[in-house]
Amino acid sequence: MNDLPMLNYDVVVIGGGPAGMAAAVRAKKLGLKVLLLDDNDYLGGILPQCIHPGFGLHYFKEELTGPEFAARFAKRLVELGVDYRTAARVLEIKNYSDLEKVVVFSSPSGAYQVWTRTIIYAAGARERHAFEIGIVGDRGAGIYTAGEAQTLMDIYGVMPGKEIVIVGSGDVGLIMARRFALEGAKVKAVIELMPYPGGLARNIMILRDFDIPLYLSHKVVEVRGKERVERVKIVKVDENLREIPGTEFWIEADTLIISAGLVPNVKLLTAIGVEIDPATGGPVVNDLFETSVPGIFAAGNSVIINDLVDYVAEQGELAAEGARLFIDKEGIPTRRWIKLEKGENVRLLVPHYLSGERDVWIYARVSKPMENVEVRFPEIGKKLRLPVVKPAEMLRVKLRREEIAKARDGITMEVVPL
Amino acid sequence: MKTKVAIIGAGISGASIARVLSRYENLEVHLIEKAPDVGWGVSKANTALIHGGYDDDPKKYPMRAKLCIRGNRLWHQWVKELEIPHVWNGALIVATKEEDFDELERLLERGRENGVPEMRIVDREELFHLEPNLTKEAIGALWVPIVGQIGPIPAVIAIVENAVANGVKTHLETEVTGIKVENGEVRGVETKDGFIEADVVINAAGLYADEIARMAGIDYFEIHPRKGEYFLFDDSIPGPRRVLFPTPTPISKGIVVTTEISGHLMIGPNAQDLPPEEKENLATTREGLEQVWEGAKKLWPQLPPRSKVIRTFAGLRPEPTGGDFIIKAEEEVWGFINVAGIRSPGLTSAPAIAYEVAEIIQRDLGIELVEKRKWNPYRKEITHFFMLSPAQINEVVKRDPAYGKVICRCNRVSEGDVLEAIERMKFIGIKTPSVDSVKFRTKATTGTCQGSFCRPRIIQLLAREYGVGPWEVTLKGKGSEVGIGDVKVLLRGEEA
């Protein structure tokens, strides 16, 4: 290692998407020496390929497209003079001590080692692919994840096909359904495993706008077509998601788009022993988004899959504040950590630990949709009523410092019908 | 006067024959393949094992018994000369019932007969020392240390690169339509792209060897495909250190559990016989994969959850009439050599098959082979970013900055690796750019995310280097184009 060029920073931000850019901007404003690394050729993460509107309503109070949102952040980054490198891939993180960490990265100008006091990990997520969801049959051209199809269309200008079947009615799948329809392709079906759609209400409208059939409680089990996709086999499932024999049918299509959910990218974190929450797939974090390894913070979709870019940016900023505090105090000075537990109808949540020393936004998802519910934190006597909750829509609830302080041991979050 | 040799089929057999024949001054060797790249037929999807040579009965299958062990020995040399990825980790044939030992004794005896060194039966204690996470039902095993694993397609690529460097001419995307025979002698090969004159025609056409033989008027055998299906798991899942077989039954060698050379736990294959006309049926099936899963669980009970599956695939073994390899100069047609029915252990046997063919040419066709004064046995492996230390990265970026830029995140493949792969594709005559050609040379797209990040970048590089639109780049040859045109093609009304 000694022969590698050495750089020195207070904080290295890994990932140049919205979480990473927001973290870098905030850290710089807080007076830290920041280096941001991204392996793409451009900043913005996946935003530059998300050419549809709907970004930044909370953050910028106006509706932007993905490239516009990314450009605004990139501009701030450049204006503030944040050091950043694109086409730079982190190969390894070494954790020598709480205040001594090394990030090794490779780039077209070679490999470097960066000595840093803190790291903000914002490497985003990957998409689940056809093999992971058990689709069998042929493996010709025309099978893409939604994000890959989006990259092909909106970064490289390639039309993947003309008759499309989409697996998954989450936001990404629905937005791609519209994207294909707008370019003149025929979207023949959106296939959803669950008995309810997976996307935000505003995106479910797309199906009606473009007259796209939605099959709830169905799954794609097989794809045929040797050189390229020719048809896909679909089957109905019961309430336990078991296939119902005799309900199989085929749809002719030349393209199958898999939009079956995202999985946080955590390989660099697991390599250094960061604790992972099996429910979120991301690291276990405290209320400053610090992981189980002191001084390593995480933010955005590498922690929890978010619906809105605004939340992602918010988490990046919080992590930056954590890094500042960590450097000032040589660690996060907290007397006790209160564990936040999942109760009834809560599938996942972050942060996992609360200090009670600051107000906290809780990000959570329910297991099943419900109407007229109460979100309760029984140990501290907090309740709030909501007309409807859906797994597709992240719950974001604020707990105030004084409220958290009432807890003796843990706090449970539950979502119960009224 | 050079003797012109046409080899039909650039799989592991045809490629190995081409390499061995490239040694001789008086031969002009042509390697003919209908696919756009080499190694895409039977060689592409199999268990990638270099077998020990203990299970083929020399009375029933003399060719298999002879060539498997000789092939194993030759591979030890070839992987070094050609820098083919490999591991010599040995195999355990595991007994779970007392009566299994009878079969293991039989295998041990046969192995000795075939000349397999260092085999022995190990007891339970030593077995768990060799393989700690094996099923607790295991009571002993046959230990075969000479078993290994290689990358089968990388092996074909390496062999062809070396053969081309030694003067072999390739004809890719060249489908054979006929064999020209005059007065009982071969004259050449008719293809969709014209006639290739040849004095010797070697039929190494894998699943299609029976059809090629019939073109020369030889019809005493038939090839039917036997399908095997596999699972590959994410490289975060620990697999066994050795190749694990169950004790074989009269029908099958059983489902193997192994960690393939890239570090992925792999299980398979089952065996399903298909009719001769289904030589293109590479579809995976629910039933087949279920069989594999159940079979593997018997040896390796801690199979990961299905969400850790990164790929399922199927391969076809060419099963010949009679079951043994058919390697011979056909008497009715002078100059026509069959290398047919190369089913398991074909990958293992390939180098030995090649030497066998050279011998047939001398002995049966009476062509005296004259060695070249300069023949290059060596071939350098492509640069693999994932094998470089950071200091080595700094060396290669001086040559080309593209070597510092990672484009496949999961398997750490650099843009430089991809560009080098494309250069080598062109060197062996690949005309149609395909993502699979890059994949088999670099490992890009084969990791956890299965290419959803890097495939578009590889498409872009292929398009640039081959001078075509990105939508014209294929996944695996003509008909598998990654797109139908530019993004406005449908709105313009130009139906692709």
Side-chain angles (χ1 to χ4, degrees):
Chain A
M1 282 338 257
N2 295 333
D3 44 357
L4 287 188
M6 195 198 289
L7 310 171
N8 271 287
Y9 283 90
D10 294 324
V11 53
V12 175
V13 178
I14 300 172
M21 289 197 295
V25 163
R26 177 58 63 93
K28 182 77 178 181
K29 282 186 179 161
L30 291 170
L32 298 178
K33 195 178 172 216
V34 187
L35 174 66
L36 180 144
L37 300 171
D38 192 274
D39 60 5
N40 242 323
D41 289 331
Y42 44 80
L43 288 175
I46 58 150
L47 287 172
Q49 72 195 50
C50 301
I51 62 170
H52 53 283
F55 296 89
L57 273 173
H58 297 242
Y59 203 89
F60 290 109
K61 310 285 177 232
E62 62 181 301
E63 197 174 39
L64 304 173
T65 64
E68 286 166 342
F69 188 96
R72 286 206 185 180
F73 256 112
K75 188 158 172 267
R76 286 186 180 185
L77 200 91
V78 171
E79 280 169 0
L80 282 166
V82 174
D83 290 345
Y84 71 92
R85 298 208 189 197
T86 52
R89 176 71 186 166
V90 174
L91 303 179
E92 196 182 1
I93 297 171
K94 295 178 194 185
N95 183 49
Y96 288 117
S97 72
D98 285 6
L99 286 156
E100 283 176 304
K101 302 171 199 312
V102 169
V103 174
V104 180
F105 74 89
S106 176
S107 72
S109 59
Y112 296 82
Q113 54 180 328
V114 195
W115 286 78
T116 183
R117 293 197 278 176
T118 59
I119 291 168
I120 298 175
Y121 184 86
R126 70 169 181 89
E127 297 174 281
R128 295 172 72 206
H129 52 72
F131 297 105
E132 235 169 333
I133 57 172
I135 296 178
V136 301
D138 294 318
R139 299 168 306 140
I143 307 171
Y144 296 106
T145 64
E148 186 183 358
Q150 195 176 47
T151 311
L152 283 173
M153 292 173 81
D154 297 333
I155 304 286
Y156 296 115
V158 174
M159 189 66 185
K162 58 177 193 262
E163 292 187 315
I164 321 291
V165 170
I166 294 178
V167 176
S169 65
D171 293 318
V172 189
L174 295 169
I175 284 162
M176 283 315 289
R178 175 175 60 196
R179 186 78 194 92
F180 274 110
L182 286 172
E183 294 298 357
K186 173 82 186 151
V187 182
K188 297 188 110 175
V190 172
I191 311 294
E192 171 58 54
L193 179 66
M194 305 306 285
Y196 44 83
L200 297 171
R202 69 177 190 211
N203 288 329
I204 294 159
M205 300 291 286
I206 291 169
L207 296 167
R208 210 182 54 196
D209 293 349
F210 291 90
D211 200 17
I212 297 169
L214 170 67
Y215 294 84
L216 296 173
S217 295
H218 280 75
K219 71 193 277 198
V220 170
V221 288
E222 191 174 337
V223 52
R224 295 310 290 258
K226 208 169 65 72
E227 261 89 37
R228 87 164 287 147
V229 177
E230 288 165 16
R231 57 192 196 279
V232 296
K233 187 183 188 180
I234 291 149
V235 63
K236 196 169 166 41
V237 299
D238 65 19
E239 57 275 18
N240 298 313
L241 308 182
R242 278 191 306 247
E243 293 165 27
I244 303 171
T247 60
E248 298 86 358
F249 62 99
W250 291 89
I251 296 181
E252 305 219 337
D254 64 3
T255 306
L256 178 66
I257 298 296
I258 312 291
S259 177
L262 300 171
V263 185
N265 283 325
V266 292
K267 272 193 177 168
L268 283 167
L269 294 181
T270 50
I272 52 164
V274 166
E275 189 187 344
I276 301 296
D277 173 1
T280 57
V284 171
V285 293
N286 64 28
D287 58 9
L288 290 165
F289 277 64
E290 185 187 27
T291 69
S292 63
V293 173
I296 297 186
F297 298 79
N301 282 356
S302 63
V303 179
I304 183 170
I305 304 306
N306 289 273
D307 319 326
L308 298 179
V309 71
D310 309 85
Y311 297 167
V312 166
E314 181 175 275
Q315 292 159 13
E317 292 178 346
L318 188 63
E321 281 158 27
R324 173 81 256 183
L325 182 67
F326 185 91
I327 288 169
D328 289 348
K329 306 283 184 190
E330 302 200 340
I332 301 291
T334 293
R335 276 203 312 268
R336 59 166 192 155
W337 289 108
I338 300 155
K339 181 126 182 33
L340 186 63
E341 307 271 6
K342 292 176 287 187
E344 193 182 328
N345 200 20
V346 175
R347 184 161 64 88
L348 51 86
L349 52 73
V350 292
H352 305 80
Y353 291 96
L354 313 177
S355 64
E357 288 152 22
R358 57 191 71 83
D359 298 350
V360 174
W361 284 111
I362 310 293
Y363 305 90
R365 284 187 193 275
V366 295
S367 311
K368 49 185 189 290
M370 272 183 190
E371 287 181 11
N372 289 320
V373 296
E374 205 163 59
V375 179
R376 289 186 196 148
F377 299 86
E379 293 88 348
I380 56 174
K382 183 178 173 91
K383 294 174 185 174
L384 65 143
R385 289 173 71 157
L386 291 174
V388 61
V389 290
K390 300 174 187 169
E393 293 183 19
M394 189 180 253
L395 280 176
R396 182 165 160 274
V397 181
K398 190 171 220 168
L399 289 188
R400 287 202 312 279
R401 183 184 158 175
E402 314 81 78
E403 291 170 331
I404 302 165
K406 290 185 209 158
R408 291 221 185 129
D409 304 307
I411 297 177
T412 312
M413 175 178 181
E414 56 190 31
V415 178
V416 288
L418 270 177
Chain B
M1 260 298 277
K2 285 196 174 188
T3 303
K4 292 185 176 173
V5 180
I7 303 166
I8 303 169
I12 194 70
S13 302
S16 298
I17 295 165
R19 178 181 190 234
V20 167
L21 297 187
S22 75
R23 231 190 156 109
Y24 301 107
E25 189 62 57
N26 56 329
L27 300 183
E28 180 187 302
V29 182
H30 295 262
L31 183 60
I32 305 165
E33 169 58 51
K34 81 175 169 178
D37 196 350
V38 299
W40 282 13
V42 176
S43 309
K44 180 168 147 176
N46 53 65
T47 324
L49 293 183
I50 302 304
H51 286 278
Y54 53 83
D55 59 353
D56 290 312
D57 184 342
K59 285 174 213 78
K60 275 199 250 27
Y61 311 113
M63 272 293 180
R64 276 160 47 183
K66 176 172 98 173
L67 298 179
C68 183
I69 179 64
R70 198 194 284 173
N72 178 300
R73 304 286 83 180
L74 283 166
W75 274 117
H76 278 73
Q77 180 192 335
W78 284 32
V79 294
K80 284 184 235 157
E81 289 173 345
L82 302 170
E83 298 192 357
I84 294 167
H86 64 276
V87 56
W88 300 111
N89 54 340
L92 290 165
I93 300 97
V94 178
T96 50
K97 300 186 294 287
E98 275 305 322
E99 54 266 37
D100 288 347
F101 283 108
D102 298 342
E103 180 62 24
L104 295 188
E105 289 288 354
R106 262 195 295 278
L107 291 176
L108 182 65
E109 190 49 43
R110 194 177 296 156
R112 287 189 180 134
E113 213 175 313
N114 290 350
V116 182
E118 301 164 12
M119 298 172 73
R120 63 198 167 82
I121 289 178
V122 295
D123 63 13
R124 196 168 193 277
E125 193 186 340
E126 189 177 355
L127 174 59
F128 281 94
H129 174 71
L130 287 164
E131 196 53 61
N133 294 316
L134 195 62
T135 175
K136 296 292 167 252
E137 311 272 297
I139 52 177
L142 181 63
W143 167 227
V144 192
I146 67 161
V147 170
Q149 301 178 78
I150 64 170
I153 310 181
V156 180
I157 292 165
I159 293 168
V160 171
E161 283 181 4
N162 180 244
V164 169
N166 282 307
V168 170
K169 294 184 177 54
T170 60
H171 305 258
L172 300 177
E173 284 182 79
T174 306
E175 191 176 335
V176 171
T177 51
I179 307 289
K180 192 174 175 192
V181 180
E182 272 176 13
N183 304 325
E185 291 182 20
V186 284
R187 296 288 183 216
V189 176
E190 283 149 15
T191 79
K192 284 192 174 162
D193 287 322
F195 183 68
I196 299 169
E197 205 187 308
D199 309 306
V200 177
V201 171
I202 298 165
N203 171 19
L207 287 161
Y208 298 90
D210 55 347
E211 292 174 30
I212 297 288
R214 281 200 288 275
M215 289 177 192
I218 292 159
D219 59 2
Y220 65 85
F221 66 91
E222 188 174 56
I223 305 279
H224 80 262
R226 181 173 290 170
K227 190 193 278 188
E229 296 173 63
Y230 297 84
F231 285 94
L232 262 183
F233 296 91
D234 189 48
D235 56 7
S236 62
I237 302 300
R241 300 187 330 216
R242 318 291 173 188
V243 180
L244 305 179
F245 290 90
T247 298
T249 64
I251 320 159
S252 156
K253 274 188 263 200
I255 286 154
V256 174
V257 177
T258 184
T259 304
E260 54 90 83
I261 50 157
S262 298
H264 297 265
L265 170 63
M266 183 170 88
I267 60 174
N270 60 331
Q272 192 203 350
D273 284 307
L274 302 179
E277 62 274 14
E278 288 198 37
K279 288 173 176 171
E280 301 284 313
N281 181 349
L282 284 164
T284 54
T285 64
R286 307 286 287 272
E287 303 72 30
L289 289 170
E290 215 42 57
Q291 270 176 15
V292 168
W293 192 275
E294 290 308 313
K297 227 165 59 180
K298 288 182 193 150
L299 284 180
W300 199 253
Q302 297 302 318
L303 284 180
R306 300 280 174 124
S307 61
K308 292 290 178 186
V309 172
I310 61 166
R311 202 159 182 89
T312 53
F313 63 94
L316 298 174
R317 296 93 108 171
E319 287 294 325
T321 311
D324 200 7
F325 295 160
I326 300 162
I327 303 173
K328 60 189 272 205
E330 297 296 345
E331 280 167 26
E332 309 95 286
V333 184
W334 196 92
F336 189 82
I337 300 174
N338 267 319
V339 179
I342 310 300
R343 38 97 76 203
S344 179
L347 179 67
T348 311
S349 307
I353 291 172
Y355 285 106
E356 183 75 19
V357 169
E359 208 182 302
I360 288 171
I361 291 175
Q362 297 213 74
R363 186 189 60 214
D364 300 341
L365 301 185
I367 298 167
E368 198 189 329
L369 298 177
V370 183
E371 286 203 20
K372 285 179 183 167
R373 222 172 306 150
K374 279 187 186 162
W375 180 75
N376 176 15
Y378 303 108
R379 169 262 183 189
K380 278 219 91 52
E381 170 67 322
I382 185 172
T383 308
H384 287 298
F385 179 93
F386 63 83
M387 291 171 71
L388 303 178
S389 69
Q392 288 169 320
I393 293 168
N394 285 335
E395 282 305 306
V396 291
V397 295
K398 282 185 204 151
R399 181 153 44 109
D400 184 350
Y403 282 106
K405 180 176 166 186
V406 174
I407 67 164
C408 164
R409 296 170 174 182
C410 304
N411 286 351
R412 290 193 180 170
V413 177
S414 80
E415 189 173 299
D417 301 7
V418 174
L419 293 173
E420 196 180 322
I422 295 172
E423 215 174 277
R424 287 169 181 240
M425 285 156 58
K426 290 180 174 176
F427 174 70
I428 67 160
I430 292 174
K431 291 174 273 189
T432 301
S434 79
V435 175
D436 272 5
S437 288
V438 170
K439 161 176 136 176
F440 295 129
R441 285 165 177 80
T442 64
K443 291 192 198 175
T445 79
T446 65
T448 308
C449 87
Q450 287 292 300
S452 57
F453 286 110
C454 64
R455 198 164 17 236
R457 300 200 210 180
I458 292 166
I459 290 166
Q460 187 74 358
L461 292 172
L462 280 166
R464 190 182 82 195
E465 298 298 313
Y466 271 90
V468 297
W471 46 88
E472 295 172 90
V473 170
T474 70
L475 189 63
K476 48 180 187 178
K478 293 208 170 77
S480 69
E481 285 74 16
V482 299
I484 57 170
D486 71 74
V487 81
K488 296 295 171 195
V489 69
L490 293 175
L491 293 181
R492 275 199 311 269
E494 292 171 20
E495 279 256 323

